[in-house]
Amino acid sequence: MSEQESYSKTNKFTINKDFDPDILWVVIKKHWLVFPILLIVALSAGYLYLRYTKPVYSSNAVVQRSSQDEGKRILDIESFENEGSLSEDVELLKSTFLLEKALKNLNLNISYYSEGEILTEEKYLMSSYHITLLELKDSSLIGKPISVTEKDGGYELSFSTNGELKSYDIQPDTPINNEYFNLIFKINNKEKFKKSLADNSLYFVMNNYANLTKRLHPDLKVYILNAEAKTIQISFESNNSRLATDVVSSVISTFFQYDLDKKSQSSANILNFINSQLDTAFIQLKESEVRIQSFKDSNRVNDPAMFTQRILQRTGELQSQLLVIDLDYELISEVERKVDNSERIEIYRIIPAISGTNYENLLTTELTALHDLLVSREDISYNVTGNNDIIKKLNRKIETKSENIKRTISSIKEQLRFKKSSIQDRIYGLESQLYGVPQKEMELSRLNRMFNLNEKYYSLLIEKKTQYSISKAGYTTDNMVLQAPASAGLVSPNGKLIYTGLIVISLLLGLIYLLIRYLRFNDIQSPEELKKILPSAAGFLGIVPKVVTDSKNSTLIVHKQPKSALAESCRHIRSNMQFVLNEGESSVVAVSSSVSGEGKTFVALNLAGIFALSGKKVLVIDLDLRKPKVHLGFGVQNTDGMSSVFAGKVAWRDCVRDSEIEGLSFITAGPIPPNPSELVIRGGLDQLLEEFKGEYDLILIDNPPVGVVSDGVIIMNKADCPIYVFRSNYSKRIFTERVGELLNSNKVSKLFVLLNGVDLKRNGYGYGYGYGYGEYYDDSENDGKKGILKWFKKK
């Protein structure tokens, strides 16, 4: 962990709660490249996503469900057709049952694919070749890719089966017959086919319609658009626009045809039943007529008397009622058998048969409810297994409903048996009154009675057939396609939306990044900013500009560029220090900072140089015994120095060295001791300073950072002019808290501040100097940072 990070963690982190346009401008200047970088990344991501994402197309259509029953209006009878609800139509339209029929109508037994490096495209109706499958001998090939490649001027089919790779040479328009299949390979467009082979890998798949339906079913959407207008919207999504349009068209046509076939089948079943009964009744009627004529011719029997006629007429009426009861009983028994089978289609077909009977109200509602439960179970069974709780619950409901219907049927049958028994008793009673009639007349009456019954039954069947035929002819479906499935439109990816969204997101992320940088901004930028946050008791000496040197370490350069901005700034600081130092007396100046890297050694060396150039006799001593750098600034070895003097090993005069500037001497730190603080405190520093004052006009101390170690504070307190160095764009604003702490706790009686590393061009302080300066060295542990990171930091 660096000294700067260590010091920062000991201080409370502050957030910029107040708006400061200067800080905002600095943040924008330093981090404006975030916006173009994020924008470039976003646009690149959008391009890659659009380039390598399969497009999804959607085709939509709107149909209207309606029907008219002219037979009901003309005959004033209830139609034998029960028109389903829109909900039933929607369930049928989106069922896998109807979708599979629609896919079969599209003849999708083979799918063609073109595989690129990243994407695979289905070439529905756009394939440059065609496969005519004559016979599939091995069903295990269903769903497996069969590759088409070029080989020695011809072509080859290859596929993997049972872990083995099979390949067969083929020629266009020539049947290929082997143990797996019998097919014909045909090229639709030779140039396009060759180009497709060169660009991509081509293969085809023999489809299983059940699996194909399962794969495509989630892309089919059906819902009620307007219940009052009976309109339904059908949509299908696919990566192939033609396929999406054709599937919607096929679903609609298949639905209309299935609806028509279902109604036709129901009508045909009822009329076939009536026709079969008509044939039987007609034969019985003719036989009755022949018997009567034969009996009259052979026995010469006249018609019975009026009494007998009335008896027979009443008996005939009872026989008619008995016949109706038998028909009702047979119909009820048929209903009971259908309920036992629990077949949805059979239940649906039997409902119209009980229309118009005395038991319609009792059974129609129950049978319809049972039919709905069977339909629900059938629809759900496409998606779940028989052990699913929903299926089990529906099975229990179906069993309960079936039992209720059976109990109702049993009650009806019991009533019919009771009625039949009562009518038979009455018939027997009436027939007993005819015992006195001559036997031949009674036989004739019986024959007439049978003839009348057969005639009435035949007439009833003729009437019913006529009604149902008119109703069938008058019932027409008027389903309309209000919106035909036009060419499928692109649903995703939406390029404009994606690019717009990514641009907005990148801008928002950039703004958030700037906001975070603004809130967390903690660097000192300018002297004005430093003055605002410094304690009022601290004095401000001036600024030191940024300069460029070839050396990686702090160095003395003020004498080499006497007219530079650096020299002028140091002279300005020297002038301000004249108001602090006593004229004509030897003075001690200690230079320190919060952490390493703020340029205190650079400031100390060049301030000492500017004083020496003015004719002062100056001594620089390095008391930063932990990380000494003065010897590096003067380009000498760190041999005997202040640590040796404090330890009593050598005299301080033996450690003094002269620099290239006349009047400027220095003492290096010497070997780094294991206990720097104790060595400084017990080494007789006060006595040494007094001796230094006797020899030199100015003693300038390179002090250890007071933000990190405590012994630097003791040295600062002994100085006549303690200087605290901050560095622009490096020192943190929280470092000023250390200045306030030193002053408020009376650890030092006075403290003066200067700002190092100020960019004169950027901040406008270089007017009149005529020089341009780049970034000078960083004497922290991060001296070696270069390249793009350094350039970003500069910004």
Side-chain angles (χ1 to χ4, degrees):
M1 182 182 297
S2 66
E3 294 177 354
Q4 183 172 350
E5 292 174 344
S6 176
Y7 179 72
S8 298
K9 288 190 175 182
T10 62
N11 292 272
K12 182 180 178 181
F13 178 74
T14 58
I15 296 179
N16 297 315
K17 298 180 180 179
D18 299 328
F19 177 73
D20 190 333
D22 294 333
I23 295 178
L24 179 61
W25 178 242
V26 171
V27 171
I28 292 175
K29 287 195 297 182
K30 290 183 65 176
H31 304 287
W32 67 271
L33 275 176
V34 169
F35 287 97
I37 291 174
L38 287 176
L39 190 60
I40 292 172
V41 171
L43 294 178
S44 300
Y47 171 78
L48 292 175
Y49 177 79
L50 294 174
R51 175 66 178 82
Y52 297 108
T53 299
K54 286 186 177 181
V56 178
Y57 301 91
S58 176
S59 180
N60 301 280
V62 178
V63 298
Q64 186 178 46
R65 295 280 287 151
S66 62
S67 61
Q68 296 179 352
D69 194 351
E70 293 295 328
K72 176 180 177 181
R73 183 179 63 83
I74 296 172
L75 300 175
D76 194 24
I77 62 172
E78 291 294 331
S79 171
F80 62 87
E81 297 288 358
N82 289 324
E83 185 177 355
S85 65
L86 279 182
S87 298
E88 292 178 353
D89 294 335
V90 169
E91 291 301 320
L92 178 60
L93 278 166
K94 67 181 182 181
S95 66
T96 54
F97 166 76
L98 190 72
L99 180 59
E100 185 172 346
K101 287 182 174 291
L103 295 177
K104 288 179 179 178
N105 292 336
L106 289 177
N107 193 24
L108 289 176
N109 56 325
I110 293 181
S111 295
Y112 303 89
Y113 297 92
S114 176
E115 183 180 10
E117 294 182 359
I118 296 179
L119 299 180
T120 299
E121 180 183 5
E122 183 175 359
K123 310 293 288 187
Y124 171 75
L125 297 183
M126 294 184 293
S127 175
S128 56
Y129 68 97
H130 179 73
I131 300 294
T132 301
L133 182 62
L134 302 177
E135 182 184 4
L136 179 62
K137 301 177 182 179
D138 188 350
S139 60
S140 65
L141 291 183
I142 294 178
K144 291 185 178 180
I146 301 178
S147 300
V148 180
T149 54
E150 191 173 10
K151 178 183 178 183
D152 300 331
Y155 305 100
E156 182 184 62
L157 294 183
S158 59
F159 56 90
S160 178
T161 179
N162 297 325
E164 298 181 7
L165 181 64
K166 301 289 183 179
S167 60
Y168 296 92
D169 295 334
I170 57 173
Q171 292 297 329
D173 302 320
T174 302
I176 173 173
N177 191 358
N178 53 44
E179 67 271 25
Y180 297 101
F181 47 69
N182 184 8
L183 55 81
I184 298 176
F185 175 77
K186 181 179 179 181
I187 298 177
N188 300 328
N189 187 319
K190 193 168 184 178
E191 293 182 359
K192 183 179 178 181
F193 178 67
K194 286 187 175 181
K195 186 176 185 304
S196 299
L197 276 177
D199 295 340
N200 300 300
S201 299
L202 303 183
Y203 68 91
F204 64 90
V205 174
M206 301 176 187
N207 289 319
N208 177 287
Y209 278 103
N211 295 335
L212 182 63
T213 301
K214 185 177 180 180
R215 177 169 65 88
L216 297 181
H217 185 257
D219 299 322
L220 179 65
K221 303 293 186 298
V222 182
Y223 59 89
I224 297 174
L225 192 62
N226 189 323
E228 295 182 357
K230 295 185 177 181
T231 54
I232 301 173
Q233 178 158 318
I234 305 165
S235 65
F236 185 80
E237 294 182 354
S238 174
N239 300 123
N240 189 293
S241 59
R242 290 284 299 277
L243 179 62
T245 303
D246 289 353
V247 168
V248 174
S249 299
S250 182
V251 166
I252 294 174
S253 60
T254 304
F255 170 71
F256 286 167
Q257 186 62 43
Y258 177 79
D259 185 57
L260 182 61
D261 293 343
K262 183 178 65 175
K263 289 180 169 59
S264 298
Q265 183 64 37
S266 179
S267 304
N269 290 338
I270 295 175
L271 290 176
N272 288 338
F273 174 77
I274 293 177
N275 287 331
S276 64
Q277 295 298 315
L278 270 174
D279 293 338
T280 303
F282 179 77
I283 293 171
Q284 291 176 351
L285 181 60
K286 294 300 290 183
E287 289 178 351
S288 298
E289 185 178 6
V290 170
R291 288 193 190 102
I292 291 174
Q293 188 63 40
S294 176
F295 184 81
K296 285 183 177 181
D297 293 342
S298 61
N299 295 286
R300 299 177 181 179
V301 177
N302 298 323
D303 292 335
M306 294 298 296
F307 172 75
T308 302
Q309 187 65 32
R310 288 196 299 271
I311 296 289
L312 293 176
Q313 182 179 0
R314 181 58 180 159
T315 303
E317 293 175 355
L318 293 175
Q319 290 288 355
S320 298
Q321 295 179 16
L322 194 62
L323 180 61
V324 172
I325 290 175
D326 288 337
L327 289 174
D328 288 344
Y329 192 90
E330 183 179 355
L331 178 60
I332 291 300
S333 299
E334 181 66 17
V335 172
E336 187 175 24
R337 286 192 293 272
K338 301 297 184 184
V339 171
D340 285 334
N341 292 335
S342 294
E343 291 291 336
R344 178 179 65 81
I345 299 299
E346 298 298 328
I347 296 298
Y348 179 81
R349 292 175 178 173
I350 201 64
I351 292 175
I354 64 174
S355 176
T357 66
N358 295 330
Y359 313 103
E360 179 181 3
N361 295 333
L362 289 174
L363 294 177
T364 301
T365 302
E366 295 293 321
L367 289 173
T368 301
L370 178 59
H371 175 262
D372 293 340
L373 289 173
L374 292 172
V375 169
S376 299
R377 184 178 66 180
E378 182 177 344
D379 290 342
I380 295 175
S381 65
Y382 289 121
N383 300 316
V384 300
T385 63
N387 295 324
N388 190 276
D389 291 339
I390 299 177
I391 294 294
K392 292 180 178 179
K393 185 177 180 181
L394 283 174
N395 288 335
R396 290 195 295 270
K397 288 184 177 180
I398 291 172
E399 291 175 1
T400 302
K401 184 60 68 177
S402 299
E403 293 298 324
N404 291 339
I405 295 174
K406 290 179 183 178
R407 284 195 292 270
T408 302
I409 292 175
S410 298
S411 176
I412 294 172
K413 291 174 70 174
E414 186 64 26
Q415 293 178 12
L416 291 175
R417 284 193 290 269
F418 178 79
K419 288 182 180 180
K420 182 177 180 180
S421 177
S422 298
I423 292 174
Q424 286 177 340
D425 291 340
R426 293 173 64 184
I427 291 174
Y428 293 148
L430 290 172
E431 288 180 346
S432 66
Q433 299 179 25
L434 299 176
Y435 289 154
V437 180
Q439 185 175 0
K440 291 183 179 180
E441 292 184 356
M442 289 182 64
E443 180 63 20
L444 180 60
S445 297
R446 189 185 67 78
L447 292 174
N448 286 331
R449 184 171 70 250
M450 294 301 297
F451 176 79
N452 291 333
L453 287 175
N454 290 330
E455 185 179 32
K456 288 182 180 180
Y457 182 51
Y458 184 76
S459 298
L460 176 64
L461 290 175
I462 290 292
E463 180 183 0
K464 289 293 184 183
K465 179 179 179 180
T466 303
Q467 290 178 347
Y468 283 132
S469 297
I470 294 175
S471 179
K472 178 184 177 182
Y475 187 91
T476 59
T477 58
D478 194 20
N479 299 320
M480 296 178 61
V481 180
L482 300 183
Q483 177 185 322
S487 298
L490 182 65
V491 175
S492 68
N494 189 327
K496 292 183 179 179
L497 182 61
I498 289 174
Y499 279 127
T500 302
L502 288 174
I503 290 173
V504 171
I505 291 174
S506 63
L507 292 177
L508 288 177
L509 290 177
L511 291 175
I512 292 173
Y513 178 80
L514 288 184
L515 177 61
I516 294 174
R517 283 292 183 178
Y518 175 82
L519 294 176
R520 295 173 59 91
F521 185 82
N522 199 27
D523 292 346
I524 297 173
Q525 301 292 314
S526 65
E528 288 77 11
E529 180 183 350
L530 180 59
K531 292 176 183 178
K532 288 180 183 178
I533 58 179
L534 277 175
S536 58
F540 187 77
L541 294 177
I543 65 171
V544 176
K546 290 199 301 184
V547 295
V548 175
T549 65
D550 296 331
S551 175
K552 295 183 179 180
N553 303 301
S554 299
T555 184
L556 177 63
I557 60 175
V558 69
H559 63 294
K560 298 178 181 179
Q561 300 175 355
K563 295 183 179 181
S564 65
L566 174 64
E568 291 296 331
S569 297
C570 290
R571 292 188 186 99
H572 178 74
I573 296 172
R574 183 188 63 187
S575 300
N576 290 334
M577 292 175 63
Q578 299 299 330
F579 295 98
V580 179
L581 303 176
N582 295 323
E583 185 69 24
E585 295 183 4
S586 180
S587 302
V588 177
V589 176
V591 181
S592 186
S593 62
S594 298
V595 295
S596 177
E598 292 179 291
K600 61 179 180 60
T601 301
F602 178 80
V603 171
L605 294 179
N606 286 279
L607 279 180
I610 208 69
F611 272 98
L613 290 174
S614 66
K616 298 288 187 180
K617 191 177 181 181
V618 181
L619 175 65
V620 177
I621 62 174
D622 191 351
L623 291 186
D624 190 354
L625 303 183
R626 293 174 180 81
K627 296 179 65 174
K629 293 181 181 178
V630 169
H631 65 285
L632 298 176
F634 287 104
V636 299
Q637 294 295 322
N638 186 23
T639 53
D640 290 337
M642 293 303 299
S643 61
S644 304
V645 174
F646 287 140
K649 295 181 179 180
V650 294
W652 66 268
R653 287 183 174 83
D654 297 333
C655 297
V656 175
R657 305 183 190 184
D658 294 329
S659 69
E660 54 186 309
I661 299 178
E662 185 179 356
L664 177 59
S665 303
F666 62 92
I667 303 176
T668 62
I672 299 176
N675 54 344
S677 297
E678 296 181 1
L679 192 63
V680 171
I681 294 173
R682 299 176 183 178
L685 179 60
D686 292 340
Q687 178 63 32
L688 285 174
L689 289 177
E690 290 299 325
E691 294 180 10
F692 292 155
K693 288 180 180 182
E695 297 287 339
Y696 298 93
D697 298 323
L698 180 69
I699 296 91
L700 202 149
I701 303 173
D702 184 10
N703 205 45
V706 296
V708 180
V709 295
S710 59
D711 51 306
V713 179
I714 299 174
I715 301 173
M716 294 282 286
N717 196 33
K718 298 180 182 298
D720 300 307
C721 180
I723 299 177
Y724 204 104
V725 177
F726 292 90
R727 180 178 170 186
S728 178
N729 292 314
Y730 183 86
S731 301
K732 306 303 179 183
R733 290 187 292 171
I734 56 174
F735 291 178
T736 59
E737 295 180 5
R738 182 58 170 167
V739 175
E741 179 185 345
L742 292 174
L743 291 171
N744 295 332
S745 61
N746 295 322
K747 292 183 178 179
V748 293
S749 59
K750 53 187 175 180
L751 194 61
F752 301 93
V753 174
L754 62 81
L755 183 61
N756 180 32
V758 177
D759 190 338
L760 300 181
K761 288 184 177 180
R762 181 171 298 180
N763 294 283
Y765 297 102
Y767 180 80
Y769 294 116
Y771 292 91
Y773 300 94
E775 181 181 6
Y776 88 95
Y777 60 88
D778 178 358
D779 56 355
S780 68
E781 286 84 349
N782 300 321
D783 291 338
K785 289 186 177 179
K786 295 187 181 293
I788 189 68
L789 294 177
K790 181 177 179 181
W791 188 77
F792 273 119
K793 185 177 179 182
K794 178 179 179 181
K795 294 294 181 183

